[in-house]
Amino acid sequence: MKNGSDYNFSELKLPLHAGTHVDAPGHFYDNYFDQGFDVDTLDLRVLNGPVLLVDVPRDKNITAQVMKSLHIPKGVKRVLFRTLNTDRRLMYKKEFDSSFVGFTKDGAQWLVDNTDVKLVGTDYLSVGAFDYATAAHLVFLKSKEIILVEGLKLDDVQAGIYSVHCLPLRLVGSEGSPIRCILM
């Protein structure tokens, strides 16, 4: 309006996997992408509902051994994993930090094989630790049933049970989307 327009009008341009975002199966599986398994096919019932927020031991990636130690009860469908990334405030830094912690391949496989979890949320830009990013994604997304929410800001929240509400943008044909998630 300062330039004489009748209204203000902003534009937004960003990668779909920047900030808090969701991954669709087509993010790491090209055949799923070709088959149309995009953000618009994600089950909103999985993205919204009761969720368990757990604290991961701070000096470790999320391995099978760590997963066993968390004792996630059968029947839990959604889990948010708070790690050292939150303590280090990595989501507030402008530069990418490859020293972040996340799932290893065996940790992802343990979750798939031994829990009922369908939503996995993590506190940095990738669910997989840097050296395991591709392997962890492939394990989680293979079934097309697990939804990954990455880049959550989980500071100032106690571990426990909440209601989570995550809504991606409706981007037909996209393998990811910015997402707004709130805990109540």
Side-chain angles (χ1 to χ4, degrees), residues 72-90:
I72 296 171
K74 283 286 189 188
V76 171
K77 302 283 187 203
R78 300 166 198 86
V79 180
L80 308 181
F81 295 87
R82 180 171 42 206
T83 71
L84 180 64
N85 301 330
T86 292
D87 299 344
R88 294 177 59 209
R89 299 183 55 81
L90 294 185

Side-chain angles (χ1 to χ4, degrees), residues 62-78:
I62 307 171
T63 63
Q65 181 180 9
V66 168
M67 282 302 304
K68 289 178 200 174
S69 76
L70 294 175
H71 304 290
I72 296 171
K74 283 286 189 188
V76 171
K77 302 283 187 203
R78 300 166 198 86

Side-chain angles (χ1 to χ4, degrees), residues 22 39-51 75-79 116-120 144-147 149 162-168 179:
V22 64
V39 169
D40 197 45
T41 66
L42 297 177
D43 189 344
L44 293 178
R45 293 169 295 193
V46 173
L47 287 162
N48 296 276
V51 67
V76 171
K77 302 283 187 203
R78 300 166 198 86
V79 180
D116 300 316
V117 173
K118 299 300 177 201
L119 182 140
V120 173
K144 300 180 293 244
E145 294 180 5
I146 294 178
I147 298 176
V149 178
Y162 295 89
S163 180
V164 68
H165 302 281
C166 297
L167 296 174
I179 190 168

